[in-house]
Amino acid sequence: MARSLTTLGISVILSAATSLSTAKEFSWSQQHDIIGEKRVVTTKYEDTLSDLGESNNIGFNEIVTANPGVDAWLPGEGNKVIVPSEYILPSIREGVVINLHEYRLYYFPKEGGKVITYPVGIGTQKTPSPLVETTVELKLEKPNWYPPASVRAEYLKENGKEMARMFPPGPENPLGPYAIKLDLPGYFLHGTNKAFGIGTKVSHGCIRLYNDDISKLVFQVPNKTPVRFIKEPIKLGMKGDNLYVELHLDDADNISDKKMVQKVIQQTIRLEKRLGAIDLDIYAIENAIKNPLGIPQHIGVKASTISNANNVVAQKKAGNKKADVIAVSPLSTPDTIN
């Protein structure tokens, strides 16, 4: 029988090492839009992108999208693979936020000062995860699984035999070692007996996490914590004076490139109300849309920064009449990925 978790005085120390399913906890303040840092690893012969994703706490679609042209199952010996471990935060920054487009969960503890993020598996096209606002109702250790009638009917149709009406804790239980019941009938955040599904559309609507991750999250989130399921294919954020976009596009959305550019500009205009004028690089926006890597890509800079850079260039030209070439564009940054 499942046991309810009522004692939550357990502190969890999160390691920065790249061990299996390393958790992600970052210091954070409301003024910051971007957490983490971009990393690159060198593959060994036996590596797959799935293995590299799991060992770095990254979902399958995340690491595949960040590495176009790399064979997911045979990346080869000695190749460079981007680990997409830098994130623009979603627009909602309270409680648990699950961005379905991103296959990622963010948790903003009430006491502030940090943000915790984990990759997730979500509902399939036929059984999508709902776009809802709810709360944490109950937390369970070693949960039993009672498959709903719809799942049993699907199993009968596909396999020609009845499905068990209850699965006890163990390797055949798809809920894994812990489950967080939401105030939404039938929906849980839970572990899994199929880790390779994390970062894909794989569930009947629930949210799946690596077992190591749910084993931490279940002790981190108090009951009644707000939980929001959102779809944000476009995330914008500032890092210093530089503006970045992070795109998680889904073919099912059927949004044209032109419409995407318009949406990025509209979001930038909203940012300008808080931050002042921002100069956009339209070419960089178009390039990011054509190559949506699911990682922050540089698309602009605060107007004051460009003005200062241009003043420096003008002063140099005034002192050297022969200098008519600017070597570095004011919009360029050394960590831009095109």
Side-chain angles (χ1 to χ4, degrees):
M1 178 179 289
R3 291 196 290 126
S4 174
L5 298 174
T6 55
T7 303
L8 301 176
I10 298 177
S11 61
V12 180
I13 299 175
L14 303 177
S15 169
T18 57
S19 58
L20 182 65
S21 194
T22 303
K24 294 289 183 67
E25 178 177 318
F26 302 94
S27 297
W28 175 71
S29 68
Q30 289 283 355
Q31 290 72 37
H32 294 160
D33 296 326
I34 301 178
I35 58 172
E37 60 183 6
K38 181 181 60 188
R39 294 191 296 117
V40 176
V41 297
T42 302
T43 57
K44 299 177 182 178
Y45 176 77
E46 64 271 20
D47 284 334
T48 69
L49 291 191
S50 179
D51 294 334
L52 290 172
E54 186 172 352
S55 64
N56 287 280
N57 200 242
I58 304 294
F60 182 73
N61 276 350
E62 288 180 290
I63 197 164
V64 169
T65 301
N67 294 278
V70 176
D71 190 308
W73 305 110
L74 291 170
E77 174 85 23
N79 286 326
K80 302 296 183 183
V81 168
I82 294 172
V83 177
S85 49
E86 184 177 36
Y87 315 99
I88 297 177
L89 296 173
S91 60
I92 298 172
R93 299 172 186 180
E94 178 192 19
V96 173
V97 180
I98 301 159
N99 187 5
L100 299 176
H101 266 287
E102 192 179 353
Y103 302 93
R104 184 157 284 275
L105 176 153
Y106 295 88
Y107 173 48
F108 301 87
K110 194 172 183 179
E111 63 271 18
K114 64 182 178 182
V115 57
I116 300 165
T117 181
Y118 299 113
V120 298
I122 67 172
T124 65
Q125 294 282 62
K126 289 184 178 180
T127 57
S129 300
L131 291 174
V132 295
E133 294 185 13
T134 183
T135 58
V136 171
E137 181 180 288
L138 181 69
K139 289 169 283 188
L140 302 171
E141 180 182 13
K142 296 181 179 179
N144 297 325
W145 181 49
Y146 299 88
S150 59
V151 173
R152 297 199 310 272
E154 180 182 324
Y155 183 88
L156 177 62
K157 182 178 180 181
E158 292 179 356
N159 297 277
K161 59 181 180 180
E162 292 282 350
M163 185 183 210
R165 289 180 175 267
M166 189 276 283
F167 287 76
E172 300 302 316
N173 188 320
L175 298 186
Y178 295 96
I180 298 174
K181 185 178 185 300
L182 302 179
D183 189 18
L184 186 70
Y187 286 92
F188 294 81
L189 314 180
H190 62 79
T192 182
N193 61 345
K194 297 178 180 178
F196 57 82
I198 304 302
T200 67
K201 294 178 180 178
V202 67
S203 77
H204 288 86
C206 289
I207 300 299
R208 297 184 185 180
L209 292 90
Y210 288 127
N211 287 337
D212 283 358
D213 293 346
I214 190 65
S215 298
K216 294 180 176 69
L217 184 65
V218 74
F219 292 106
Q220 291 167 332
V221 294
N223 286 340
K224 301 193 180 302
T225 297
V227 179
R228 295 174 175 89
F229 291 65
I230 65 171
K231 282 187 176 181
E232 282 192 5
I234 304 170
K235 298 191 296 177
L236 262 64
M238 297 294 297
K239 190 173 186 179
D241 289 331
N242 295 290
L243 177 66
Y244 293 82
V245 67
E246 183 180 322
L247 299 173
H248 298 274
L249 307 183
D250 191 320
D251 291 339
D253 292 332
N254 196 27
I255 303 176
S256 68
D257 288 359
K258 182 178 179 180
K259 187 68 174 177
M260 290 293 297
V261 172
Q262 292 173 349
K263 286 180 175 291
V264 171
I265 293 173
Q266 289 168 358
Q267 288 197 27
T268 303
I269 291 172
R270 287 195 287 271
L271 275 179
E272 286 183 318
K273 293 178 181 179
R274 176 168 58 92
L275 302 172
I278 298 172
D279 283 283
L280 290 176
D281 184 337
I282 298 299
Y283 174 79
I285 295 172
E286 292 174 342
N287 186 59
I289 291 170
K290 290 178 182 177
N291 302 280
L293 302 176
I295 58 179
Q297 295 177 268
H298 187 264
I299 59 167
V301 68
K302 289 183 72 172
S304 58
T305 305
I306 289 183
S307 177
N308 291 337
N310 286 339
N311 287 338
V312 171
V313 171
Q315 291 171 10
K316 287 183 177 179
K317 283 188 174 183
N320 182 359
K321 299 295 184 181
K322 294 182 180 180
D324 58 357
V325 176
I326 302 173
V328 181
S329 163
L331 286 183
S332 297
T333 57
D335 60 349
T336 300
I337 296 179
N338 294 317

